[in-house]
Amino acid sequence: MNQPLQGSIVCLGIGITLGSHITQLAKNYIEQADVVFVLVSDGIVEQWICEMNEDSRSLQPFYQEGISRAISYQNMINTILSEVHKNKKVVGVFYGHPGVFACVPHLVIQQAKEHGYYALMEAGISAEDCLYADLSIDPGEFGCAQFEASQFMMFKRKIDPSAYLILWQVCIAGDTSLTKFATGIEQRKILISLLEDIYSKDHSVIIYEAPTLPIHAIRNDKIKICDLLTATLNQQSTLVIPPSEKMRANKEILKKLSALSEKKKAIHLCQFN
């Protein structure tokens, strides 16, 4: 009889700001793990994880300028799974939410399950959650579309200028090589040109960065689209584009809905006559 596989992997998110967003369950997983792999946004956060579990190993060294991120991600996956195959309780700690703009946790869990191991993803507070709170944006008010910046550039997407548009990882927008930590002015010109096809060059946008440490301030820089060319963008920078138009009513649908409402009202009155 085959012995049940004892290895396991839990990928969890510790949120964005140090200490503020971690759940008690996530903390328990970290403390009880045989080995913890860490991919977070700040060295101080990494040290904090190490205090919870002595066998904490950083995945950050896998990132190297000039090496494709696809290769880096595969090396991370192989390294994590190698410990699972040794029948260890493994935890992967990721900043923000482990399932948001993070392919490694998804692939690790998928491959672990395919091999018969226990695998789980625990949600965390993402940069998106922080963005809504810090910028006082309700995505349900006007609607909200979100894209990774390079994907927005490389594929034809239908953009509604009456809704918010959020572009993530804008610092590496236009990186076709997957090897850069930041792209240059020529790629940024192409991004600006795309945006100016939808919005005016003077339309106000926001460069947002959530604080990773409690002592850090929120970045909430309001600039014009044309000023993006010289704006300082970091790896954690997100571009938020507010609506430039009012929502337009769909009169045909409203007419149909109104007719349904009148029909129900008539049926209701008939029941009492």
Side-chain angles (χ1 to χ4, degrees):
M1 181 182 295
N2 292 330
Q3 293 294 320
L5 297 173
Q6 299 299 313
S8 65
I9 174 65
V10 175
C11 292
L12 58 84
I14 58 164
I16 301 298
T17 306
L18 173 66
S20 300
H21 300 155
I22 190 171
T23 65
Q24 185 59 51
L25 181 59
K27 188 176 180 183
N28 291 344
Y29 275 125
I30 294 169
E31 291 174 341
Q32 296 170 16
D34 294 322
V35 57
V36 177
F37 289 99
V38 186
L39 188 61
V40 292
S41 57
D42 193 287
I44 296 175
V45 180
E46 220 174 70
Q47 292 175 20
W48 176 60
I49 300 297
C50 289
E51 291 176 3
M52 289 187 244
N53 190 307
E54 290 183 358
D55 194 355
S56 295
R57 310 174 192 179
S58 177
L59 294 172
Q60 203 67 42
F62 286 104
Y63 285 123
Q64 297 290 333
E65 186 84 36
I67 296 178
S68 170
R69 285 189 293 281
I71 294 174
S72 298
Y73 296 152
Q74 190 56 59
N75 288 336
M76 291 180 196
I77 292 165
N78 293 342
T79 300
I80 294 170
L81 288 177
S82 69
E83 296 299 319
V84 177
H85 291 317
K86 294 175 185 176
N87 286 332
K88 292 183 179 180
K89 289 191 297 184
V90 182
V91 168
V93 176
F94 300 86
Y95 62 91
H97 188 301
V100 178
F101 289 93
C103 69
V104 171
H106 284 291
L107 293 173
V108 163
I109 288 173
Q110 176 189 327
Q111 292 179 30
K113 285 182 175 179
E114 288 173 354
H115 285 92
Y117 295 102
Y118 176 82
L120 176 71
M121 180 179 289
E122 279 293 327
I125 292 177
S126 68
E128 178 190 2
D129 301 312
C130 297
L131 184 152
Y132 293 144
D134 292 337
L135 303 186
S136 298
I137 292 173
D138 180 354
E141 184 177 8
F142 302 115
C144 181
Q146 304 185 48
F147 303 99
E148 195 274 337
S150 291
Q151 186 191 88
F152 170 77
M153 295 172 70
M154 296 174 190
F155 295 87
K156 294 182 178 180
R157 312 307 298 255
K158 292 183 179 180
I159 304 302
D160 178 3
S162 68
Y164 280 95
L165 174 63
I166 299 176
L167 298 181
W168 300 94
Q169 299 179 336
V170 70
C171 181
I172 54 172
D175 177 21
T176 58
S177 68
L178 300 179
T179 63
K180 300 181 183 299
F181 291 156
T183 46
I185 196 167
E186 296 304 322
Q187 287 89 347
R188 204 177 294 192
K189 284 179 180 178
I190 294 173
L191 174 60
I192 291 170
S193 176
L194 278 172
L195 293 174
E196 288 180 350
D197 286 341
I198 306 166
Y199 309 92
S200 74
K201 66 178 183 178
D202 293 325
H203 184 61
S204 180
V205 299
I206 302 166
I207 299 175
Y208 168 75
E209 294 175 13
T212 56
L213 299 177
I215 58 172
H216 289 168
I218 297 159
R219 185 178 179 188
N220 179 11
D221 294 349
K222 295 178 176 64
I223 64 171
K224 297 176 182 178
I225 285 178
C226 59
D227 294 331
L228 272 172
L229 195 62
T230 56
T232 299
L233 297 176
N234 304 308
Q235 290 187 9
Q236 65 269 37
S237 299
T238 300
L239 185 63
V240 181
I241 306 173
S244 64
E245 299 177 2
K246 291 183 178 180
M247 293 185 291
R248 291 177 291 175
N250 189 328
K251 295 181 180 180
E252 183 179 346
I253 295 297
L254 285 171
K255 186 177 179 180
K256 290 179 180 179
L257 293 173
S258 179
L260 285 175
S261 180
E262 290 300 320
K263 182 179 179 180
K264 288 182 180 179
K265 188 186 296 183
I267 292 171
H268 180 73
L269 288 173
C270 288
Q271 291 174 343
F272 291 92
N273 288 337

